[in-house]
Amino acid sequence: MNKWEYEEKLAPAEKELNEEAGPGQGGLVPQLPIEKHPDSASTPRTMSLAMAPFNKDGGDRKSVTPEMAISLITWSTRYGLDPWLGDTIYYFGKPYITELGAIRLASRVKGYRLYSVAHLERERYASYGYPEDSWVFVCHVEFQGMENSIEEHGVVTQREIDDLKAKHGDQAQYLAVVKQPWHQARARAIRRAHLIAAQITPEATE
């Protein structure tokens, strides 16, 4: 494993999945297609949406319509993810997998052990081409039988924040990236590393 001064080390993945902290939002995750389903008694439309925790978009905080919620529930269930547990959300109108959802997917892969996440040392920003006024986290995911861990970075730049302020005006102060850039960078690192880890084949860990 690479030598890093880790801020924290969590194992196994279920530790974070069982925490009550809400999902982090970020932009570095796959976009999922919104699907429409027939209005019948066998569809998720029969579920009560009154207590759904995803009635607000995680990016622009706009309301999520019942049709969007049904689509998200249906897609999430198909892939073994649960929006009620924070696995999936809407982010600026698009469905996204959160870091908790990515952890859930990766933890099902044979040999998954743990992950660690920490600030990237600022003196190393230049070597990766990151601006000085950025927030950068690095996440490592370890598997049994793999010599090297999977490493991915999560980044929020001041330019990204400035662009959001220019686009959304006074409403930008309520956006997660603007309010907590360090938290978003950390969430992006965890999410990216685990989405890659979720694609590891069993042969790679033997």
Side-chain angles (χ1 to χ4, degrees), residues 3 6 11 19 28 34 37 41 47 49 55 62 64 81 85 100-101 117 124 133-134 157 167 176 184 190:
K3 295 181 179 179
Y6 293 131
E19 290 180 353
L28 305 179
I34 299 177
H37 299 273
M47 294 182 176
L49 300 178
N55 58 355
K62 292 181 179 178
V64 172
L81 298 173
L85 295 179
L100 294 183
V117 60
R124 303 189 64 175
D133 56 353
S134 301
T157 65
K167 180 178 181 179
Q184 305 312 310
I190 295 172

Side-chain angles (χ1 to χ4, degrees), residues 23-31 57-59 89-92 94-99 154-156 160 164 176-177 180-181 183-189 191-192 195:
Q25 289 81 40
L28 305 179
V29 288
Q31 295 186 3
D57 188 295
I89 61 169
Y90 278 97
Y91 189 78
F92 289 103
K94 301 292 184 180
Y96 284 99
I97 298 175
T98 69
E99 76 271 24
V155 184
V156 173
E160 177 182 357
L164 287 172
V177 175
Q180 295 181 309
H183 177 74
Q184 305 312 310
R186 179 182 181 277
R188 290 176 180 183
R191 185 183 298 108
R192 290 184 62 161
L195 287 175

Side-chain angles (χ1 to χ4, degrees), residues 106-121:
S107 65
R108 296 171 182 163
V109 178
K110 179 182 178 181
Y112 179 87
R113 292 184 60 226
L114 52 82
Y115 74 89
S116 12
V117 60
H119 285 283
L120 179 68
E121 298 92 333

Side-chain angles (χ1 to χ4, degrees), residues 33-38 67 70-71:
I34 299 177
E35 301 179 2
K36 295 182 179 180
H37 299 273
E67 290 75 18
I70 290 167
S71 180

Side-chain angles (χ1 to χ4, degrees), residues 153-196:
H153 297 175
V155 184
V156 173
T157 65
Q158 185 60 49
R159 180 175 180 177
E160 177 182 357
I161 294 174
D162 292 341
D163 288 345
L164 287 172
K165 289 181 177 179
K167 180 178 181 179
H168 297 280
D170 293 341
Q171 296 302 311
Q173 61 182 313
Y174 303 110
L175 302 180
V177 175
V178 176
K179 290 172 60 177
Q180 295 181 309
W182 63 271
H183 177 74
Q184 305 312 310
R186 179 182 181 277
R188 290 176 180 183
I190 295 172
R191 185 183 298 108
R192 290 184 62 161
H194 281 85
L195 287 175
I196 292 174

